[in-house]
PDB file of all heavy atoms in Angstrom:
ATOM      1  N   ILE A   1       0.826  -1.211  -0.008  1.00  0.00           N
ATOM      2  CA  ILE A   1      -0.008   0.002   0.003  1.00  0.00           C
ATOM      3  C   ILE A   1       0.873   1.243   0.007  1.00  0.00           C
ATOM      4  O   ILE A   1       0.610   2.213  -0.740  1.00  0.00           O
ATOM      5  CB  ILE A   1      -0.935   0.000   1.211  1.00  0.00           C
ATOM      6  CG1 ILE A   1      -1.947  -1.154   1.091  1.00  0.00           C
ATOM      7  CG2 ILE A   1      -1.680   1.338   1.338  1.00  0.00           C
ATOM      8  CD1 ILE A   1      -2.863  -1.272   2.313  1.00  0.00           C
ATOM      9  N   LEU A   2       1.914   1.242   0.814  1.00  0.00           N
ATOM     10  CA  LEU A   2       2.712   2.445   1.019  1.00  0.00           C
ATOM     11  C   LEU A   2       3.803   2.605  -0.028  1.00  0.00           C
ATOM     12  O   LEU A   2       4.264   1.638  -0.634  1.00  0.00           O
ATOM     13  CB  LEU A   2       3.370   2.397   2.404  1.00  0.00           C
ATOM     14  CG  LEU A   2       2.445   2.339   3.606  1.00  0.00           C
ATOM     15  CD1 LEU A   2       3.269   2.261   4.899  1.00  0.00           C
ATOM     16  CD2 LEU A   2       1.500   3.556   3.635  1.00  0.00           C
ATOM     17  N   LYS A   3       4.224   3.843  -0.187  1.00  0.00           N
ATOM     18  CA  LYS A   3       5.390   4.124  -1.000  1.00  0.00           C
ATOM     19  C   LYS A   3       6.642   3.695  -0.215  1.00  0.00           C
ATOM     20  O   LYS A   3       6.618   3.541   0.994  1.00  0.00           O
ATOM     21  CB  LYS A   3       5.476   5.608  -1.338  1.00  0.00           C
ATOM     22  CG  LYS A   3       4.368   6.098  -2.252  1.00  0.00           C
ATOM     23  CD  LYS A   3       4.532   7.588  -2.553  1.00  0.00           C
ATOM     24  CE  LYS A   3       3.440   8.071  -3.506  1.00  0.00           C
ATOM     25  NZ  LYS A   3       3.553   9.503  -3.803  1.00  0.00           N
ATOM     26  N   VAL A   4       7.737   3.543  -0.960  1.00  0.00           N
ATOM     27  CA  VAL A   4       8.973   3.080  -0.324  1.00  0.00           C
ATOM     28  C   VAL A   4       9.384   3.985   0.818  1.00  0.00           C
ATOM     29  O   VAL A   4       9.769   3.534   1.901  1.00  0.00           O
ATOM     30  CB  VAL A   4      10.111   3.025  -1.385  1.00  0.00           C
ATOM     31  CG1 VAL A   4      11.461   2.793  -0.722  1.00  0.00           C
ATOM     32  CG2 VAL A   4       9.817   1.898  -2.392  1.00  0.00           C
ATOM     33  N   ARG A   5       9.285   5.314   0.632  1.00  0.00           N
ATOM     34  CA  ARG A   5       9.735   6.242   1.663  1.00  0.00           C
ATOM     35  C   ARG A   5       8.860   6.164   2.914  1.00  0.00           C
ATOM     36  O   ARG A   5       9.310   6.537   4.015  1.00  0.00           O
ATOM     37  CB  ARG A   5       9.748   7.669   1.124  1.00  0.00           C
ATOM     38  CG  ARG A   5       8.398   8.296   0.897  1.00  0.00           C
ATOM     39  CD  ARG A   5       8.494   9.827   0.736  1.00  0.00           C
ATOM     40  NE  ARG A   5       9.188  10.242  -0.457  1.00  0.00           N
ATOM     41  CZ  ARG A   5      10.405  10.759  -0.464  1.00  0.00           C
ATOM     42  NH1 ARG A   5      11.059  10.925   0.679  1.00  0.00           N
ATOM     43  NH2 ARG A   5      10.977  11.134  -1.611  1.00  0.00           N
ATOM     44  N   ASP A   6       7.628   5.686   2.792  1.00  0.00           N
ATOM     45  CA  ASP A   6       6.702   5.703   3.916  1.00  0.00           C
ATOM     46  C   ASP A   6       6.695   4.390   4.707  1.00  0.00           C
ATOM     47  O   ASP A   6       6.002   4.282   5.707  1.00  0.00           O
ATOM     48  CB  ASP A   6       5.281   5.996   3.425  1.00  0.00           C
ATOM     49  CG  ASP A   6       5.171   7.374   2.801  1.00  0.00           C
ATOM     50  OD1 ASP A   6       5.832   8.291   3.297  1.00  0.00           O
ATOM     51  OD2 ASP A   6       4.424   7.528   1.809  1.00  0.00           O
ATOM     52  N   CYS A   7       7.448   3.428   4.251  1.00  0.00           N
ATOM     53  CA  CYS A   7       7.572   2.155   4.960  1.00  0.00           C
ATOM     54  C   CYS A   7       8.952   2.100   5.599  1.00  0.00           C
ATOM     55  O   CYS A   7       9.970   1.998   4.891  1.00  0.00           O
ATOM     56  CB  CYS A   7       7.357   0.968   4.031  1.00  0.00           C
ATOM     57  SG  CYS A   7       7.542  -0.631   4.855  1.00  0.00           S
ATOM     58  N   HIS A   8       9.022   2.168   6.918  1.00  0.00           N
ATOM     59  CA  HIS A   8      10.302   2.273   7.615  1.00  0.00           C
ATOM     60  C   HIS A   8      11.230   1.112   7.269  1.00  0.00           C
ATOM     61  O   HIS A   8      12.424   1.327   6.976  1.00  0.00           O
ATOM     62  CB  HIS A   8      10.064   2.335   9.131  1.00  0.00           C
ATOM     63  CG  HIS A   8      11.333   2.319   9.927  1.00  0.00           C
ATOM     64  ND1 HIS A   8      12.177   3.418   9.992  1.00  0.00           N
ATOM     65  CD2 HIS A   8      11.931   1.335  10.666  1.00  0.00           C
ATOM     66  CE1 HIS A   8      13.208   3.126  10.762  1.00  0.00           C
ATOM     67  NE2 HIS A   8      13.086   1.872  11.170  1.00  0.00           N
ATOM     68  N   SER A   9      10.717  -0.110   7.340  1.00  0.00           N
ATOM     69  CA  SER A   9      11.588  -1.279   7.096  1.00  0.00           C
ATOM     70  C   SER A   9      12.145  -1.293   5.675  1.00  0.00           C
ATOM     71  O   SER A   9      13.351  -1.528   5.481  1.00  0.00           O
ATOM     72  CB  SER A   9      10.832  -2.580   7.407  1.00  0.00           C
ATOM     73  OG  SER A   9       9.664  -2.665   6.642  1.00  0.00           O
ATOM     74  N   ASN A  10      11.289  -0.994   4.693  1.00  0.00           N
ATOM     75  CA  ASN A  10      11.779  -0.954   3.309  1.00  0.00           C
ATOM     76  C   ASN A  10      12.846   0.117   3.132  1.00  0.00           C
ATOM     77  O   ASN A  10      13.871  -0.087   2.465  1.00  0.00           O
ATOM     78  CB  ASN A  10      10.626  -0.689   2.352  1.00  0.00           C
ATOM     79  CG  ASN A  10       9.752  -1.921   2.122  1.00  0.00           C
ATOM     80  OD1 ASN A  10      10.192  -3.038   2.347  1.00  0.00           O
ATOM     81  ND2 ASN A  10       8.522  -1.706   1.697  1.00  0.00           N
ATOM     82  N   ALA A  11      12.614   1.287   3.726  1.00  0.00           N
ATOM     83  CA  ALA A  11      13.578   2.379   3.614  1.00  0.00           C
ATOM     84  C   ALA A  11      14.924   1.993   4.237  1.00  0.00           C
ATOM     85  O   ALA A  11      15.980   2.229   3.644  1.00  0.00           O
ATOM     86  CB  ALA A  11      13.024   3.635   4.301  1.00  0.00           C
ATOM     87  N   VAL A  12      14.874   1.369   5.406  1.00  0.00           N
ATOM     88  CA  VAL A  12      16.120   0.978   6.082  1.00  0.00           C
ATOM     89  C   VAL A  12      16.887  -0.065   5.258  1.00  0.00           C
ATOM     90  O   VAL A  12      18.093   0.040   5.062  1.00  0.00           O
ATOM     91  CB  VAL A  12      15.793   0.417   7.485  1.00  0.00           C
ATOM     92  CG1 VAL A  12      17.025  -0.287   8.082  1.00  0.00           C
ATOM     93  CG2 VAL A  12      15.334   1.543   8.408  1.00  0.00           C
ATOM     94  N   TRP A  13      16.172  -1.068   4.744  1.00  0.00           N
ATOM     95  CA  TRP A  13      16.840  -2.131   3.986  1.00  0.00           C
ATOM     96  C   TRP A  13      17.433  -1.606   2.700  1.00  0.00           C
ATOM     97  O   TRP A  13      18.556  -1.983   2.317  1.00  0.00           O
ATOM     98  CB  TRP A  13      15.831  -3.253   3.678  1.00  0.00           C
ATOM     99  CG  TRP A  13      15.410  -4.036   4.870  1.00  0.00           C
ATOM    100  CD1 TRP A  13      16.161  -4.300   5.978  1.00  0.00           C
ATOM    101  CD2 TRP A  13      14.129  -4.608   5.113  1.00  0.00           C
ATOM    102  NE1 TRP A  13      15.427  -5.035   6.885  1.00  0.00           N
ATOM    103  CE2 TRP A  13      14.180  -5.249   6.373  1.00  0.00           C
ATOM    104  CE3 TRP A  13      12.941  -4.681   4.382  1.00  0.00           C
ATOM    105  CZ2 TRP A  13      13.071  -5.915   6.911  1.00  0.00           C
ATOM    106  CZ3 TRP A  13      11.846  -5.352   4.911  1.00  0.00           C
ATOM    107  CH2 TRP A  13      11.923  -5.967   6.168  1.00  0.00           C
ATOM    108  N   ILE A  14      16.717  -0.753   1.987  1.00  0.00           N
ATOM    109  CA  ILE A  14      17.226  -0.232   0.683  1.00  0.00           C
ATOM    110  C   ILE A  14      18.424   0.677   0.929  1.00  0.00           C
ATOM    111  O   ILE A  14      19.432   0.586   0.190  1.00  0.00           O
ATOM    112  CB  ILE A  14      16.116   0.526  -0.063  1.00  0.00           C
ATOM    113  CG1 ILE A  14      15.051  -0.494  -0.534  1.00  0.00           C
ATOM    114  CG2 ILE A  14      16.688   1.285  -1.249  1.00  0.00           C
ATOM    115  CD1 ILE A  14      13.808   0.139  -1.086  1.00  0.00           C
ATOM    116  N   LYS A  15      18.378   1.527   1.947  1.00  0.00           N
ATOM    117  CA  LYS A  15      19.527   2.381   2.239  1.00  0.00           C
ATOM    118  C   LYS A  15      20.751   1.553   2.615  1.00  0.00           C
ATOM    119  O   LYS A  15      21.868   1.864   2.193  1.00  0.00           O
ATOM    120  CB  LYS A  15      19.172   3.358   3.352  1.00  0.00           C
ATOM    121  CG  LYS A  15      18.205   4.474   2.949  1.00  0.00           C
ATOM    122  CD  LYS A  15      17.899   5.366   4.140  1.00  0.00           C
ATOM    123  CE  LYS A  15      16.905   6.452   3.777  1.00  0.00           C
ATOM    124  NZ  LYS A  15      16.575   7.328   4.934  1.00  0.00           N
ATOM    125  N   ALA A  16      20.540   0.512   3.387  1.00  0.00           N
ATOM    126  CA  ALA A  16      21.667  -0.330   3.826  1.00  0.00           C
ATOM    127  C   ALA A  16      22.248  -1.094   2.658  1.00  0.00           C
ATOM    128  O   ALA A  16      23.497  -1.225   2.532  1.00  0.00           O
ATOM    129  CB  ALA A  16      21.195  -1.300   4.914  1.00  0.00           C
ATOM    130  N   ALA A  17      21.394  -1.594   1.775  1.00  0.00           N
ATOM    131  CA  ALA A  17      21.872  -2.423   0.659  1.00  0.00           C
ATOM    132  C   ALA A  17      22.477  -1.592  -0.463  1.00  0.00           C
ATOM    133  O   ALA A  17      23.450  -2.006  -1.112  1.00  0.00           O
ATOM    134  CB  ALA A  17      20.728  -3.276   0.124  1.00  0.00           C
ATOM    135  N   TYR A  18      21.861  -0.403  -0.729  1.00  0.00           N
ATOM    136  CA  TYR A  18      22.215   0.323  -1.954  1.00  0.00           C
ATOM    137  C   TYR A  18      22.658   1.776  -1.733  1.00  0.00           C
ATOM    138  O   TYR A  18      23.209   2.378  -2.650  1.00  0.00           O
ATOM    139  CB  TYR A  18      21.028   0.338  -2.907  1.00  0.00           C
ATOM    140  CG  TYR A  18      20.644  -1.010  -3.440  1.00  0.00           C
ATOM    141  CD1 TYR A  18      19.467  -1.636  -3.060  1.00  0.00           C
ATOM    142  CD2 TYR A  18      21.482  -1.710  -4.298  1.00  0.00           C
ATOM    143  CE1 TYR A  18      19.104  -2.893  -3.536  1.00  0.00           C
ATOM    144  CE2 TYR A  18      21.156  -2.958  -4.799  1.00  0.00           C
ATOM    145  CZ  TYR A  18      19.960  -3.544  -4.407  1.00  0.00           C
ATOM    146  OH  TYR A  18      19.621  -4.788  -4.881  1.00  0.00           O
ATOM    147  N   GLY A  19      22.379   2.334  -0.565  1.00  0.00           N
ATOM    148  CA  GLY A  19      22.769   3.720  -0.329  1.00  0.00           C
ATOM    149  C   GLY A  19      21.654   4.709  -0.571  1.00  0.00           C
ATOM    150  O   GLY A  19      20.616   4.395  -1.100  1.00  0.00           O
ATOM    151  N   GLU A  20      21.940   5.941  -0.208  1.00  0.00           N
ATOM    152  CA  GLU A  20      20.938   7.016  -0.236  1.00  0.00           C
ATOM    153  C   GLU A  20      20.484   7.354  -1.661  1.00  0.00           C
ATOM    154  O   GLU A  20      19.308   7.643  -1.901  1.00  0.00           O
ATOM    155  CB  GLU A  20      21.513   8.249   0.442  1.00  0.00           C
ATOM    156  CG  GLU A  20      20.557   9.441   0.526  1.00  0.00           C
ATOM    157  CD  GLU A  20      19.396   9.181   1.470  1.00  0.00           C
ATOM    158  OE1 GLU A  20      19.531   8.376   2.411  1.00  0.00           O
ATOM    159  OE2 GLU A  20      18.306   9.810   1.273  1.00  0.00           O
ATOM    160  N   GLU A  21      21.401   7.351  -2.610  1.00  0.00           N
ATOM    161  CA  GLU A  21      21.057   7.739  -3.979  1.00  0.00           C
ATOM    162  C   GLU A  21      20.010   6.805  -4.578  1.00  0.00           C
ATOM    163  O   GLU A  21      19.011   7.256  -5.162  1.00  0.00           O
ATOM    164  CB  GLU A  21      22.292   7.761  -4.865  1.00  0.00           C
ATOM    165  CG  GLU A  21      22.022   8.242  -6.290  1.00  0.00           C
ATOM    166  CD  GLU A  21      23.262   8.300  -7.147  1.00  0.00           C
ATOM    167  OE1 GLU A  21      24.378   8.175  -6.570  1.00  0.00           O
ATOM    168  OE2 GLU A  21      23.147   8.488  -8.366  1.00  0.00           O
ATOM    169  N   ILE A  22      20.212   5.520  -4.421  1.00  0.00           N
ATOM    170  CA  ILE A  22      19.251   4.532  -4.943  1.00  0.00           C
ATOM    171  C   ILE A  22      17.920   4.675  -4.200  1.00  0.00           C
ATOM    172  O   ILE A  22      16.845   4.575  -4.796  1.00  0.00           O
ATOM    173  CB  ILE A  22      19.800   3.104  -4.826  1.00  0.00           C
ATOM    174  CG1 ILE A  22      21.024   2.936  -5.714  1.00  0.00           C
ATOM    175  CG2 ILE A  22      18.734   2.076  -5.164  1.00  0.00           C
ATOM    176  CD1 ILE A  22      20.762   3.083  -7.200  1.00  0.00           C
ATOM    177  N   PHE A  23      18.022   4.879  -2.885  1.00  0.00           N
ATOM    178  CA  PHE A  23      16.780   5.046  -2.099  1.00  0.00           C
ATOM    179  C   PHE A  23      15.958   6.217  -2.639  1.00  0.00           C
ATOM    180  O   PHE A  23      14.749   6.114  -2.798  1.00  0.00           O
ATOM    181  CB  PHE A  23      17.104   5.269  -0.635  1.00  0.00           C
ATOM    182  CG  PHE A  23      15.927   5.738   0.175  1.00  0.00           C
ATOM    183  CD1 PHE A  23      14.888   4.859   0.472  1.00  0.00           C
ATOM    184  CD2 PHE A  23      15.823   7.048   0.592  1.00  0.00           C
ATOM    185  CE1 PHE A  23      13.777   5.289   1.200  1.00  0.00           C
ATOM    186  CE2 PHE A  23      14.726   7.495   1.310  1.00  0.00           C
ATOM    187  CZ  PHE A  23      13.702   6.610   1.601  1.00  0.00           C
ATOM    188  N   GLN A  24      16.601   7.335  -2.948  1.00  0.00           N
ATOM    189  CA  GLN A  24      15.878   8.506  -3.422  1.00  0.00           C
ATOM    190  C   GLN A  24      15.220   8.226  -4.771  1.00  0.00           C
ATOM    191  O   GLN A  24      14.129   8.757  -5.074  1.00  0.00           O
ATOM    192  CB  GLN A  24      16.799   9.708  -3.504  1.00  0.00           C
ATOM    193  CG  GLN A  24      17.248  10.246  -2.166  1.00  0.00           C
ATOM    194  CD  GLN A  24      16.093  10.717  -1.275  1.00  0.00           C
ATOM    195  OE1 GLN A  24      15.024  11.140  -1.794  1.00  0.00           O
ATOM    196  NE2 GLN A  24      16.254  10.646   0.010  1.00  0.00           N
ATOM    197  N   GLN A  25      15.844   7.412  -5.606  1.00  0.00           N
ATOM    198  CA  GLN A  25      15.250   7.071  -6.884  1.00  0.00           C
ATOM    199  C   GLN A  25      14.005   6.202  -6.729  1.00  0.00           C
ATOM    200  O   GLN A  25      13.125   6.191  -7.587  1.00  0.00           O
ATOM    201  CB  GLN A  25      16.285   6.360  -7.757  1.00  0.00           C
ATOM    202  CG  GLN A  25      17.460   7.226  -8.183  1.00  0.00           C
ATOM    203  CD  GLN A  25      18.456   6.468  -9.032  1.00  0.00           C
ATOM    204  OE1 GLN A  25      18.077   5.810 -10.014  1.00  0.00           O
ATOM    205  NE2 GLN A  25      19.740   6.536  -8.660  1.00  0.00           N
ATOM    206  N   LEU A  26      13.949   5.462  -5.615  1.00  0.00           N
ATOM    207  CA  LEU A  26      12.824   4.568  -5.363  1.00  0.00           C
ATOM    208  C   LEU A  26      11.784   5.131  -4.411  1.00  0.00           C
ATOM    209  O   LEU A  26      10.675   4.586  -4.297  1.00  0.00           O
ATOM    210  CB  LEU A  26      13.344   3.241  -4.775  1.00  0.00           C
ATOM    211  CG  LEU A  26      14.180   2.366  -5.699  1.00  0.00           C
ATOM    212  CD1 LEU A  26      14.913   1.291  -4.905  1.00  0.00           C
ATOM    213  CD2 LEU A  26      13.268   1.711  -6.743  1.00  0.00           C
TER     214      LEU A  26
END
């Protein structure tokens, strides 16, 4: 339901795996 930025766990995992730049694109 939520966007990537609005789901805490997804945001944490993506930042850890790929970094801030990829997170911002998603």
Side-chain angles (χ1 to χ4, degrees):
I1 294 176
L2 299 178
K3 293 180 178 179
V4 169
R5 70 164 68 252
D6 297 325
C7 178
H8 175 73
S9 55
N10 284 338
V12 168
W13 291 327
I14 291 170
K15 288 179 182 179
Y18 295 112
E20 183 67 27
E21 183 178 350
I22 295 296
F23 168 73
Q24 290 300 331
Q25 294 179 51
L26 291 165

